[in-house]
Amino acid sequence: MAIVNRGFVGRPDRSGVKLPPGQYRTFDFPVLSAEPTPDIALSDWRLTVQPTGGPLRSYRWDDFTALPHTDITTDIHCVTRWSKFDTRWRGVSMDVVLDGMVDTDTDTSAEQGYLMAHCYGGYTTNLPIRDLLHGQAWLVDTYDGEPLAAEHGGPVRLLVPHLYFWKSAKWVRRLRLMPGDTPGFWESHGYHMYGDPWLEQRYS
């Protein structure tokens, strides 16, 4: 199944030649990271999903690639003001990853709690679980038809296109569910806790 996602239902998109406030369009894919690019062998890669209660769920590379994958075409918006249209990814829906750990069949919001993404290299970012469900977010391992390059977050990164791109954490290794919201790396350094590009939620 292929998904075309403009990043936020009901907001202006490129068909109207519009960008979120303060953004400019780029045809490049700038590389920005809070830490050096880690060297992660696929044989060493692990993903752990940690619920607030109950057993951990762990994936090796072969386990992850065996999960159902979806093609996604979406616009992305960086807090540094660039936006890139029609980026092409392939990955696993967070609805699949979190199935059985949260209620993926309801539109409840605050009671779903939050998630902290932990990454190889030490980066973290926090997200409301409601923003990860119902076809809004993925763990991606392919970009533009090729395995996701390390500089862009490979082997696996989060893709949450309706929020600023720092929320789409690179080099994901652990997803930790939390009952309350706790700031991640950039959020602890003055970035907004949520990061909606259409509201210019760049900083707290």
Side-chain angles (χ1 to χ4, degrees):
M1 181 177 65
I3 293 176
V4 177
N5 183 339
R6 291 298 178 200
F8 198 101
V9 176
R11 299 294 191 185
D13 61 30
R14 80 170 180 87
S15 63
V17 197
K18 292 184 178 180
L19 291 167
Q23 299 290 111
Y24 68 88
R25 183 180 183 181
T26 184
F27 293 90
D28 300 320
F29 196 162
V31 176
L32 301 169
S33 301
E35 63 282 313
T37 300
D39 183 13
I40 308 164
L42 296 183
S43 59
D44 295 331
W45 182 85
R46 301 288 186 276
L47 172 67
T48 300
V49 186
Q50 179 180 350
T52 52
L56 301 178
R57 186 177 295 170
S58 183
Y59 300 92
R60 295 175 181 265
W61 183 249
D62 288 346
D63 301 324
F64 180 78
T65 57
L67 293 173
H69 278 53
T70 299
D71 294 308
I72 309 108
T73 301
T74 190
D75 304 338
I76 55 177
H77 310 290
C78 183
V79 71
T80 59
R81 300 188 181 276
W82 60 262
S83 291
K84 186 172 177 63
F85 294 141
D86 296 326
T87 60
R88 299 190 303 122
W89 310 82
R90 184 170 175 80
V92 179
S93 171
M94 286 296 293
D95 293 284
V96 172
V97 176
L98 297 178
D99 185 39
M101 293 189 171
V102 299
D103 186 355
T104 58
D105 294 325
T106 181
D107 290 326
T108 54
S109 54
E111 60 266 33
Q112 291 282 36
Y114 297 85
L115 179 145
M116 185 72 77
H118 296 259
C119 306
Y120 290 93
Y123 181 78
T124 56
T125 194
N126 56 302
L127 294 141
I129 289 174
R130 67 174 183 269
D131 284 273
L132 303 175
L133 302 177
H134 310 299
Q136 296 184 93
W138 299 264
L139 288 175
V140 294
D141 55 20
T142 303
Y143 173 71
D144 209 17
E146 300 291 337
L148 184 60
E151 66 180 2
H152 291 309
V156 174
R157 76 175 298 160
L158 263 175
L159 177 64
V160 191
H162 66 282
L163 301 178
Y164 279 125
F165 208 44
W166 92 78
K167 293 290 188 177
S168 294
K170 297 180 178 182
W171 314 305
V172 172
R173 65 175 181 84
R174 181 161 64 109
L175 302 173
R176 178 170 57 90
L177 279 64
M178 311 180 293
D181 202 8
T182 301
F185 177 83
W186 283 121
E187 296 82 8
S188 297
H189 289 79
Y191 277 40
H192 200 277
M193 288 288 280
Y194 185 61
D196 185 336
W198 295 98
L199 299 177
E200 282 202 277
Q201 292 177 336
R202 303 177 192 274
Y203 309 109
S204 298

